[in-house]
Amino acid sequence: MHTERVTIEGVTFLTTLHLGGPIGLLALHGAVEGGTAELAREVATRTGATLLTFTQPTGPPRHIPSIRMSPCTPLTAFLTHATLAISLHGHNRRSAPRTIYVGGSNRPAARVLATALTGSPFTPITTLSDIPHPLRGLHPDNPVNRTRDGGVQLELPVQARTTHPVPTDPEVPPGEVVEGIAAGVRRLLEGQGAPG
């Protein structure tokens, strides 16, 4: 596990990188989308996946859109090592408090993860036209799409990211979601990354 401070658009991030298996778990907004870094860490620990998280150790949390996350050294190492990325994000759509939007460029892998999450208390949505445009994760500059086989962007409501209704440190992701994503990662590994 390697930690490094990087600065992007004047914001200091603490990155944590572990190079593991060919599938990579990515949490670009660990400080502002509570529970995503912890969820990525739990899934990576259970599956041996590669892991990269970004948190903000000081100052008020600031959200920098994924497509503007610079190719810093840890992110470049992640994108070079992993063949398929799974990027964890948080959404706060009040009309969809139990919905997990499953976007990203690798649609076969998206369906594998959605199937693995159907046993959780949340409803995964994979049809792109049913996913709000800002949450689809299809932009080519989005890091989730820059690995060899592209990736899957999971947009998770608050209750799918943390078991606490208010921000706490550390966040504790719900077991059903951890198990669902981990099961999906294992299936993708069995299929050698489900190339898109």
Side-chain angles (χ1 to χ4, degrees):
M1 199 79 72
H2 174 72
T3 59
E4 181 178 333
R5 286 179 186 260
V6 300
T7 301
I8 300 171
E9 296 188 8
V11 179
T12 298
F13 293 91
L14 181 65
T15 63
T16 301
L17 174 67
H18 172 73
L19 298 179
I23 293 177
L25 275 294
L26 182 61
L28 294 168
H29 304 124
V32 292
E33 296 172 352
T36 53
E38 292 80 4
L39 181 55
R41 193 175 307 117
E42 281 288 324
V43 173
T45 297
R46 293 178 188 217
T47 61
T50 289
L51 171 71
L52 177 59
T53 63
F54 286 74
T55 56
Q56 294 172 44
T58 59
R62 191 167 142 216
H63 184 279
I64 296 174
S66 299
I67 63 172
R68 299 206 320 253
M69 294 296 278
S70 304
C72 58
T73 301
L75 183 54
T76 299
F78 175 92
L79 295 172
T80 301
H81 182 82
T83 58
L84 183 141
I86 299 169
S87 192
L88 305 182
H89 296 263
H91 77 78
N92 293 306
R93 304 273 164 153
R94 292 186 179 181
S95 60
R98 310 295 289 180
T99 299
I100 297 175
Y101 295 111
V102 189
S105 64
N106 190 314
R107 304 316 298 155
R111 288 186 286 276
V112 168
L113 281 168
T115 299
L117 283 162
T118 54
S120 78
F122 302 93
T123 302
I125 302 292
T126 58
T127 302
L128 289 172
S129 60
D130 293 338
I131 299 174
H133 191 270
L135 306 183
R136 292 178 185 172
L138 296 176
H139 197 287
D141 291 338
N142 186 330
V144 74
N145 298 318
R146 292 173 52 205
T147 54
R148 186 190 75 194
D149 295 331
V152 180
Q153 182 159 305
L154 293 178
E155 291 279 354
L156 302 137
V158 173
Q159 292 181 354
R161 295 182 265 132
T162 180
T163 56
H164 300 287
V166 294
T168 60
D169 187 18
E171 301 279 2
V172 179
E176 303 99 325
V177 177
V178 173
E179 283 301 326
I181 297 174
V185 169
R186 291 186 195 104
R187 289 176 197 169
L188 289 170
L189 286 168
E190 289 167 5
Q192 300 179 358

